[in-house]
Amino acid sequence: QVQIVEYGGGLVQTGGSLRLSCVVSGSTFKSNTLGWFRQVPGKQRELVAVTTYNDRTKYSESVKGRFTISRDNSKNTMYLQMNNLKPEDTAVYYCNVGRWEGSYFPTNYWGQGTQVTVSS
């Protein structure tokens, strides 16, 4: 059974930084393609960044140049370093185990989410 736990969210001022962590258990982590999503109330969940099983990374245009996704296979952990945060980055951030076939396909394995709030 795959289990996912995210943490590291919080309240930060505009221009500040946060690092989110996602710990995945119950799967062969180094073989996983993983994604960070975010969601605000009333909107669809948005794909923010992807790290593939072969260490490729992808970013949405809204975070490119500000966010960095990384992974430590020895710790079964994925990270999202978020710099120069903006109020529009405010959301609940989720980790997902998915697959990459030209684009990201999420599975039903989600964490509980971690809230990021950026004050103006």
Side-chain angles (χ1 to χ4, degrees):
Q1 182 72 16
V2 176
Q3 292 186 319
I4 299 173
V5 177
E6 307 100 333
Y7 59 94
L11 173 64
V12 65
Q13 291 185 332
T14 297
S17 298
L18 283 173
R19 188 175 83 154
L20 306 183
S21 299
C22 167
V23 181
V24 180
S25 59
S27 71
T28 308
F29 185 84
K30 64 180 180 180
S31 301
N32 290 152
T33 288
L34 302 162
W36 281 104
F37 286 74
R38 65 187 181 187
Q39 189 171 27
V40 298
K43 292 191 176 181
Q44 283 192 326
R45 203 165 284 190
E46 171 194 16
L47 179 62
V48 173
V50 174
T51 173
T52 68
Y53 65 94
N54 56 355
D55 288 331
R56 293 185 178 182
T57 58
K58 304 286 183 181
Y59 297 93
S60 69
E61 287 300 319
S62 61
V63 307
K64 197 174 290 185
R66 299 188 297 121
F67 290 12
T68 303
I69 191 170
S70 62
R71 62 195 295 163
D72 185 339
N73 290 337
S74 69
K75 296 181 179 179
N76 285 8
T77 302
M78 174 177 68
Y79 305 97
L80 186 68
Q81 178 66 43
M82 306 185 295
N83 297 329
N84 191 21
L85 282 161
K86 304 176 182 181
E88 52 263 44
D89 295 318
T90 295
V92 179
Y93 283 72
Y94 296 91
C95 177
N96 178 259
V97 177
R99 68 182 194 276
W100 182 266
E101 296 178 4
S103 60
Y104 186 86
F105 289 87
T107 66
N108 289 328
Y109 296 120
W110 296 93
Q112 81 290 348
T114 186
Q115 175 71 47
V116 172
T117 303
V118 184
S119 63
S120 56

